[in-house]
PDB file of all heavy atoms in Angstrom:
ATOM      1  N   THR A1486      -3.452 -14.836  -4.796  1.00 97.00           N
ATOM      2  CA  THR A1486      -2.251 -14.821  -5.732  1.00 97.00           C
ATOM      3  C   THR A1486      -2.023 -13.505  -6.379  1.00 97.00           C
ATOM      4  O   THR A1486      -2.974 -12.709  -6.377  1.00 97.00           O
ATOM      5  CB  THR A1486      -2.432 -15.953  -6.829  1.00 97.00           C
ATOM      6  OG1 THR A1486      -1.277 -15.850  -7.670  1.00 97.00           O
ATOM      7  CG2 THR A1486      -3.537 -15.641  -7.519  1.00 97.00           C
ATOM      8  N   THR A1487      -0.860 -13.169  -6.743  1.00 96.00           N
ATOM      9  CA  THR A1487      -0.738 -11.865  -7.530  1.00 96.00           C
ATOM     10  C   THR A1487      -0.910 -12.245  -8.954  1.00 96.00           C
ATOM     11  O   THR A1487      -1.267 -13.453  -9.282  1.00 96.00           O
ATOM     12  CB  THR A1487       0.750 -11.396  -7.327  1.00 96.00           C
ATOM     13  OG1 THR A1487       1.654 -12.236  -7.920  1.00 96.00           O
ATOM     14  CG2 THR A1487       1.095 -11.199  -5.862  1.00 96.00           C
ATOM     15  N   PHE A1488      -0.641 -11.329  -9.985  1.00 95.00           N
ATOM     16  CA  PHE A1488      -0.764 -11.563 -11.355  1.00 95.00           C
ATOM     17  C   PHE A1488       0.506 -12.270 -11.879  1.00 95.00           C
ATOM     18  O   PHE A1488       0.602 -12.421 -13.179  1.00 95.00           O
ATOM     19  CB  PHE A1488      -1.196 -10.388 -12.022  1.00 95.00           C
ATOM     20  CG  PHE A1488      -2.603  -9.986 -11.853  1.00 95.00           C
ATOM     21  CD1 PHE A1488      -3.056  -9.137 -10.846  1.00 95.00           C
ATOM     22  CD2 PHE A1488      -3.605 -10.499 -12.726  1.00 95.00           C
ATOM     23  CE1 PHE A1488      -4.369  -8.840 -10.640  1.00 95.00           C
ATOM     24  CE2 PHE A1488      -4.967 -10.170 -12.589  1.00 95.00           C
ATOM     25  CZ  PHE A1488      -5.389  -9.346 -11.594  1.00 95.00           C
ATOM     26  N   ASP A1489       1.412 -12.477 -11.075  1.00 94.00           N
ATOM     27  CA  ASP A1489       2.843 -13.076 -11.478  1.00 94.00           C
ATOM     28  C   ASP A1489       2.465 -14.537 -12.087  1.00 94.00           C
ATOM     29  O   ASP A1489       1.734 -15.280 -11.379  1.00 94.00           O
ATOM     30  CB  ASP A1489       3.670 -13.259 -10.299  1.00 94.00           C
ATOM     31  CG  ASP A1489       4.993 -13.881 -10.791  1.00 94.00           C
ATOM     32  OD1 ASP A1489       5.854 -13.210 -11.292  1.00 94.00           O
ATOM     33  OD2 ASP A1489       5.097 -15.078 -10.603  1.00 94.00           O
ATOM     34  N   SER A1490       2.804 -14.745 -13.273  1.00 94.00           N
ATOM     35  CA  SER A1490       2.406 -16.030 -13.853  1.00 94.00           C
ATOM     36  C   SER A1490       2.925 -17.265 -13.149  1.00 94.00           C
ATOM     37  O   SER A1490       2.049 -18.318 -13.105  1.00 94.00           O
ATOM     38  CB  SER A1490       3.071 -16.073 -15.338  1.00 94.00           C
ATOM     39  OG  SER A1490       4.395 -16.072 -15.394  1.00 94.00           O
ATOM     40  N   SER A1491       4.009 -17.282 -12.503  1.00 96.00           N
ATOM     41  CA  SER A1491       4.515 -18.298 -11.780  1.00 96.00           C
ATOM     42  C   SER A1491       3.592 -18.544 -10.535  1.00 96.00           C
ATOM     43  O   SER A1491       3.315 -19.780 -10.158  1.00 96.00           O
ATOM     44  CB  SER A1491       5.970 -18.179 -11.311  1.00 96.00           C
ATOM     45  OG  SER A1491       6.114 -17.099 -10.460  1.00 96.00           O
ATOM     46  N   GLN A1492       3.235 -17.477  -9.846  1.00 96.00           N
ATOM     47  CA  GLN A1492       2.349 -17.631  -8.731  1.00 96.00           C
ATOM     48  C   GLN A1492       1.014 -18.199  -9.108  1.00 96.00           C
ATOM     49  O   GLN A1492       0.391 -19.030  -8.460  1.00 96.00           O
ATOM     50  CB  GLN A1492       2.162 -16.333  -8.018  1.00 96.00           C
ATOM     51  CG  GLN A1492       3.390 -15.897  -7.253  1.00 96.00           C
ATOM     52  CD  GLN A1492       3.107 -14.705  -6.428  1.00 96.00           C
ATOM     53  OE1 GLN A1492       1.981 -14.345  -6.128  1.00 96.00           O
ATOM     54  NE2 GLN A1492       4.088 -14.167  -5.928  1.00 96.00           N
ATOM     55  N   ILE A1493       0.390 -17.755 -10.281  1.00 96.00           N
ATOM     56  CA  ILE A1493      -0.898 -18.210 -10.695  1.00 96.00           C
ATOM     57  C   ILE A1493      -0.817 -19.630 -11.054  1.00 96.00           C
ATOM     58  O   ILE A1493      -1.659 -20.473 -10.737  1.00 96.00           O
ATOM     59  CB  ILE A1493      -1.315 -17.358 -11.937  1.00 96.00           C
ATOM     60  CG1 ILE A1493      -1.753 -15.933 -11.432  1.00 96.00           C
ATOM     61  CG2 ILE A1493      -2.470 -18.000 -12.610  1.00 96.00           C
ATOM     62  CD1 ILE A1493      -2.066 -15.024 -12.513  1.00 96.00           C
ATOM     63  N   ARG A1494       0.219 -20.009 -11.781  1.00 96.00           N
ATOM     64  CA  ARG A1494       0.390 -21.511 -12.271  1.00 96.00           C
ATOM     65  C   ARG A1494       0.559 -22.423 -11.059  1.00 96.00           C
ATOM     66  O   ARG A1494      -0.019 -23.526 -11.004  1.00 96.00           O
ATOM     67  CB  ARG A1494       1.555 -21.769 -13.200  1.00 96.00           C
ATOM     68  CG  ARG A1494       1.227 -21.054 -14.565  1.00 96.00           C
ATOM     69  CD  ARG A1494       2.305 -21.337 -15.614  1.00 96.00           C
ATOM     70  NE  ARG A1494       1.973 -20.799 -16.830  1.00 96.00           N
ATOM     71  CZ  ARG A1494       2.599 -19.770 -17.550  1.00 96.00           C
ATOM     72  NH1 ARG A1494       3.681 -19.317 -16.919  1.00 96.00           N
ATOM     73  NH2 ARG A1494       2.273 -19.404 -18.724  1.00 96.00           N
ATOM     74  N   LYS A1495       1.265 -21.936  -9.994  1.00 96.00           N
ATOM     75  CA  LYS A1495       1.478 -22.658  -8.771  1.00 96.00           C
ATOM     76  C   LYS A1495       0.149 -22.815  -8.072  1.00 96.00           C
ATOM     77  O   LYS A1495      -0.090 -23.851  -7.532  1.00 96.00           O
ATOM     78  CB  LYS A1495       2.509 -22.092  -7.888  1.00 96.00           C
ATOM     79  CG  LYS A1495       2.817 -22.801  -6.695  1.00 96.00           C
ATOM     80  CD  LYS A1495       3.982 -22.303  -5.903  1.00 96.00           C
ATOM     81  CE  LYS A1495       4.367 -23.177  -4.646  1.00 96.00           C
ATOM     82  NZ  LYS A1495       5.393 -22.687  -3.974  1.00 96.00           N
ATOM     83  N   THR A1496      -0.677 -21.770  -8.067  1.00 96.00           N
ATOM     84  CA  THR A1496      -1.925 -21.790  -7.353  1.00 96.00           C
ATOM     85  C   THR A1496      -2.822 -22.855  -7.973  1.00 96.00           C
ATOM     86  O   THR A1496      -3.485 -23.656  -7.458  1.00 96.00           O
ATOM     87  CB  THR A1496      -2.658 -20.360  -7.310  1.00 96.00           C
ATOM     88  OG1 THR A1496      -1.854 -19.531  -6.675  1.00 96.00           O
ATOM     89  CG2 THR A1496      -3.989 -20.464  -6.712  1.00 96.00           C
ATOM     90  N   ILE A1497      -2.853 -22.867  -9.371  1.00 96.00           N
ATOM     91  CA  ILE A1497      -3.670 -23.779 -10.167  1.00 96.00           C
ATOM     92  C   ILE A1497      -3.179 -25.169  -9.842  1.00 96.00           C
ATOM     93  O   ILE A1497      -4.063 -26.151  -9.526  1.00 96.00           O
ATOM     94  CB  ILE A1497      -3.698 -23.380 -11.573  1.00 96.00           C
ATOM     95  CG1 ILE A1497      -4.250 -22.237 -11.864  1.00 96.00           C
ATOM     96  CG2 ILE A1497      -4.268 -24.638 -12.439  1.00 96.00           C
ATOM     97  CD1 ILE A1497      -4.070 -21.678 -13.231  1.00 96.00           C
ATOM     98  N   GLU A1498      -1.861 -25.475  -9.903  1.00 95.00           N
ATOM     99  CA  GLU A1498      -1.355 -26.798  -9.712  1.00 95.00           C
ATOM    100  C   GLU A1498      -1.644 -27.333  -8.288  1.00 95.00           C
ATOM    101  O   GLU A1498      -2.022 -28.422  -8.196  1.00 95.00           O
ATOM    102  CB  GLU A1498       0.237 -26.744 -10.017  1.00 95.00           C
ATOM    103  CG  GLU A1498       0.944 -28.029  -9.770  1.00 95.00           C
ATOM    104  CD  GLU A1498       2.377 -27.860 -10.037  1.00 95.00           C
ATOM    105  OE1 GLU A1498       2.761 -27.238 -11.115  1.00 95.00           O
ATOM    106  OE2 GLU A1498       3.151 -28.454  -9.225  1.00 95.00           O
ATOM    107  N   CYS A1499      -1.415 -26.453  -7.269  1.00 93.00           N
ATOM    108  CA  CYS A1499      -1.757 -26.916  -5.891  1.00 93.00           C
ATOM    109  C   CYS A1499      -3.180 -27.338  -5.772  1.00 93.00           C
ATOM    110  O   CYS A1499      -3.471 -28.287  -5.081  1.00 93.00           O
ATOM    111  CB  CYS A1499      -1.219 -25.853  -4.986  1.00 93.00           C
ATOM    112  SG  CYS A1499       0.598 -25.703  -4.858  1.00 93.00           S
ATOM    113  N   LEU A1500      -3.988 -26.349  -6.230  1.00 92.00           N
ATOM    114  CA  LEU A1500      -5.495 -26.609  -5.976  1.00 92.00           C
ATOM    115  C   LEU A1500      -5.957 -27.948  -6.798  1.00 92.00           C
ATOM    116  O   LEU A1500      -6.781 -28.671  -6.243  1.00 92.00           O
ATOM    117  CB  LEU A1500      -6.301 -25.456  -6.457  1.00 92.00           C
ATOM    118  CG  LEU A1500      -6.256 -24.191  -5.581  1.00 92.00           C
ATOM    119  CD1 LEU A1500      -7.124 -23.069  -6.265  1.00 92.00           C
ATOM    120  CD2 LEU A1500      -6.871 -24.505  -4.266  1.00 92.00           C
ATOM    121  N   ASN A1501      -5.263 -28.236  -7.879  1.00 93.00           N
ATOM    122  CA  ASN A1501      -5.556 -29.412  -8.623  1.00 93.00           C
ATOM    123  C   ASN A1501      -5.013 -30.595  -7.886  1.00 93.00           C
ATOM    124  O   ASN A1501      -5.718 -31.673  -7.798  1.00 93.00           O
ATOM    125  CB  ASN A1501      -5.020 -29.292 -10.059  1.00 93.00           C
ATOM    126  CG  ASN A1501      -5.750 -28.491 -10.905  1.00 93.00           C
ATOM    127  OD1 ASN A1501      -6.937 -28.272 -10.695  1.00 93.00           O
ATOM    128  ND2 ASN A1501      -5.206 -28.072 -12.071  1.00 93.00           N
ATOM    129  N   ASP A1502      -3.773 -30.389  -7.238  1.00 90.00           N
ATOM    130  CA  ASP A1502      -3.306 -31.511  -6.310  1.00 90.00           C
ATOM    131  C   ASP A1502      -4.129 -31.801  -5.173  1.00 90.00           C
ATOM    132  O   ASP A1502      -4.201 -32.986  -4.813  1.00 90.00           O
ATOM    133  CB  ASP A1502      -1.799 -31.109  -5.931  1.00 90.00           C
ATOM    134  CG  ASP A1502      -0.770 -31.244  -7.018  1.00 90.00           C
ATOM    135  OD1 ASP A1502      -1.202 -31.866  -8.129  1.00 90.00           O
ATOM    136  OD2 ASP A1502       0.220 -30.680  -6.893  1.00 90.00           O
ATOM    137  N   TYR A1503      -4.809 -30.757  -4.704  1.00 84.00           N
ATOM    138  CA  TYR A1503      -5.660 -31.009  -3.540  1.00 84.00           C
ATOM    139  C   TYR A1503      -7.067 -31.085  -3.863  1.00 84.00           C
ATOM    140  O   TYR A1503      -8.018 -30.715  -3.174  1.00 84.00           O
ATOM    141  CB  TYR A1503      -5.440 -29.801  -2.468  1.00 84.00           C
ATOM    142  CG  TYR A1503      -4.094 -29.682  -2.056  1.00 84.00           C
ATOM    143  CD1 TYR A1503      -3.422 -28.344  -1.855  1.00 84.00           C
ATOM    144  CD2 TYR A1503      -3.297 -30.854  -1.656  1.00 84.00           C
ATOM    145  CE1 TYR A1503      -2.078 -28.352  -1.329  1.00 84.00           C
ATOM    146  CE2 TYR A1503      -1.998 -30.713  -1.235  1.00 84.00           C
ATOM    147  CZ  TYR A1503      -1.353 -29.341  -1.102  1.00 84.00           C
ATOM    148  OH  TYR A1503      -0.096 -29.332  -0.676  1.00 84.00           O
ATOM    149  N   ARG A1504      -7.393 -31.505  -5.159  1.00 77.00           N
ATOM    150  CA  ARG A1504      -8.705 -31.478  -5.499  1.00 77.00           C
ATOM    151  C   ARG A1504      -9.674 -32.374  -4.828  1.00 77.00           C
ATOM    152  O   ARG A1504     -10.904 -32.171  -4.696  1.00 77.00           O
ATOM    153  CB  ARG A1504      -8.830 -31.837  -7.047  1.00 77.00           C
ATOM    154  CG  ARG A1504      -8.267 -33.251  -7.312  1.00 77.00           C
ATOM    155  CD  ARG A1504      -8.313 -33.545  -8.852  1.00 77.00           C
ATOM    156  NE  ARG A1504      -7.793 -34.863  -9.244  1.00 77.00           N
ATOM    157  CZ  ARG A1504      -6.341 -35.044  -9.488  1.00 77.00           C
ATOM    158  NH1 ARG A1504      -5.592 -34.011  -9.372  1.00 77.00           N
ATOM    159  NH2 ARG A1504      -6.025 -36.208  -9.761  1.00 77.00           N
TER     160      ARG A1504
END
Side-chain angles (χ1 to χ4, degrees):
T1486 178
T1487 70
F1488 283 90
D1489 181 85
S1490 62
S1491 62
Q1492 289 190 12
I1493 288 173
R1494 290 186 174 116
K1495 184 172 183 179
T1496 298
I1497 293 170
E1498 182 179 312
C1499 289
L1500 287 176
N1501 284 339
D1502 284 346
Y1503 300 139
R1504 59 185 177 273

